[in-house]
Amino acid sequence: MPFMMSTRALARLDHAALRAAGQRSAEGRPSRIGGAAAPYAVFATVGYARTRLRHVLRLRRWVPVISQADDLHPLIEGAVSPAIRLRIPAGSVSREFLAAYDSARRFALSPIAPCPQCGAHVPTVCIDNLADYGDWLRGAQGLAESPFYRTSPAHHGDCPLPRHPLTT
């Protein structure tokens, strides 16, 4: 039977992320979310996606990361490979992420959470490090959207979000 992260360990991960975000904020360093990562020439294999999530969240080797192809989110025009869904199980709770390339061929790692309009589970923002994840957890404004946030087919049919253009 594979090891499963405990709910307490998942809470410690979230706490570490919030602490990293707070420290970055206290030091006056801005968030680098969205666009800071250089384009990658490699395809987003399952192994690469898992490794990237482990690196971003500073996960220990024993923490399981379950992966599967994500058929729900199609290949974005200009991207180099299909999306991969990653899950960190922890008892009855888990954290899910979408690993995909955007149209600029940048690797985007996005927490999946309920849409504020329709409640469907969709990719939210792009995270590059533990502090970015902490910013997302605390609901910080100004985070770069996932390339699939507004276009995700997971949104309910009556959700107004996909029809609203991104305003920057």
Side-chain angles (χ1 to χ4, degrees):
M1 181 171 166
F3 178 82
M4 185 175 296
M5 188 176 197
S6 71
T7 306
R8 177 180 276 178
L10 191 59
R12 283 194 306 265
L13 169 65
D14 290 353
H15 182 72
L18 290 167
R19 196 171 49 244
Q23 182 177 356
R24 177 170 65 188
S25 178
E27 293 172 358
R29 292 183 290 137
S31 168
R32 298 180 314 142
I33 296 179
Y40 291 89
V42 298
F43 285 87
T45 63
V46 170
Y48 179 77
R50 279 191 201 139
T51 299
R52 185 74 180 134
L53 181 66
R54 286 184 185 286
H55 174 75
V56 166
L57 297 182
R58 300 180 191 164
L59 296 175
R60 304 266 186 206
R61 194 171 301 179
W62 53 264
V63 174
V65 177
I66 299 169
S67 57
Q68 66 185 55
D70 189 297
D71 297 328
L72 188 58
H73 296 94
L75 187 65
I76 291 178
E77 185 178 334
V80 293
S81 68
I84 298 168
R85 188 176 288 248
L86 303 168
R87 185 167 55 91
I88 303 170
S92 62
V93 181
S94 65
R95 296 288 185 269
E96 287 194 312
F97 299 84
L98 188 72
Y101 282 91
D102 65 14
S103 58
R105 295 179 180 229
R106 294 182 195 282
F107 188 75
L109 189 59
S110 309
I112 296 173
C115 168
Q117 298 293 322
C118 69
H121 286 263
V122 298
T124 55
V125 300
C126 296
I127 61 171
D128 291 326
N129 53 53
L130 190 61
D132 293 346
Y133 180 60
D135 281 340
W136 175 76
L137 285 171
R138 67 181 184 164
Q141 300 298 311
L143 304 178
E145 290 183 358
S146 160
F148 290 106
Y149 180 59
R150 292 178 186 275
T151 61
S152 176
H155 286 285
H156 297 162
D158 59 349
C159 182
L161 192 62
R163 293 182 287 284
H164 288 169
L166 176 63
T167 54
T168 55

